[in-house]
Amino acid sequence: VRCPALHPSTRGKRYITPSEMADSAVNAFLKCIIDLENENETGCLAEYATYPAVLKRFGEGFKIKMGFGMHVGWAVEGAIGSKHKIDASSLSPHVNIAARLQAATKQFGVSMLLSGEFVDGLSSQLKRLCRPLDRVALKGSKEPMMLFSFEPRMDERKRYFDRFELGVEAYLNGEWEQARALLEGCVNSDPGDRPPAVLLEYMEERDFVAPPTWSGHRELTSK
């Protein structure tokens, strides 16, 4: 992929590495999240939160939120539709996976949900800010994949995230009693962090005993 921007050292065109492209995608979504939050607080969206109809429907403190799913692969781009309505769109199984990850952000309570394949393409600086959440089988995907969230302030809560990752590891290995203890500790430390609760709810439905057929992943219920 050729970058049209001028490189500081050569003042000419240069090639973008795959990790630069992946990092730039994350940065673009982070900017969207930050801009949206600013608009909710002091921008044009803050006004909508005071509308009587919005207050009646959603209550106090309503904010506009968006989720982002990130995957890597190929896509066919073009115009689709009819003479009455035409959309520019991208179509492929990989696009469908990204869409399903986006939908699952609500289930996990995170703004960004990244596939393991996407995380593999990030630079080392950004990889260390990705938190493993679960391993799932998605509709339309042949192999189970790891899911990650992006945590820009992970270093500030290292002990918490270390405990969470140990809990995820125990859960994936079928050691659900150990996973339960670790993840319940996370919930007690930070009740607002949704991912530990997601795994606990799944294990609780099975009395915290991994089924004999457990192979370290589950089907993702979000569509």
Side-chain angles (χ1 to χ4, degrees), residues 94-148:
H94 305 287
V95 172
N96 294 340
I97 289 174
R100 291 189 177 98
L101 294 180
Q102 182 274 327
T105 57
K106 297 178 182 179
Q107 179 179 341
F108 285 91
V110 296
S111 297
M112 296 170 59
L113 205 53
L114 290 60
S115 72
E117 291 180 54
F118 180 84
V119 170
D120 287 342
L122 292 172
S123 66
S124 57
Q125 292 89 340
L126 265 65
K127 278 181 182 177
R128 66 181 180 83
L129 300 179
C130 294
R131 172 167 58 146
L133 302 182
D134 201 349
R135 182 183 289 119
V136 301
L138 293 171
K139 183 179 179 181
S141 179
K142 295 181 180 180
E143 298 293 334
M145 66 172 60
M146 282 298 301
L147 301 184
F148 294 80

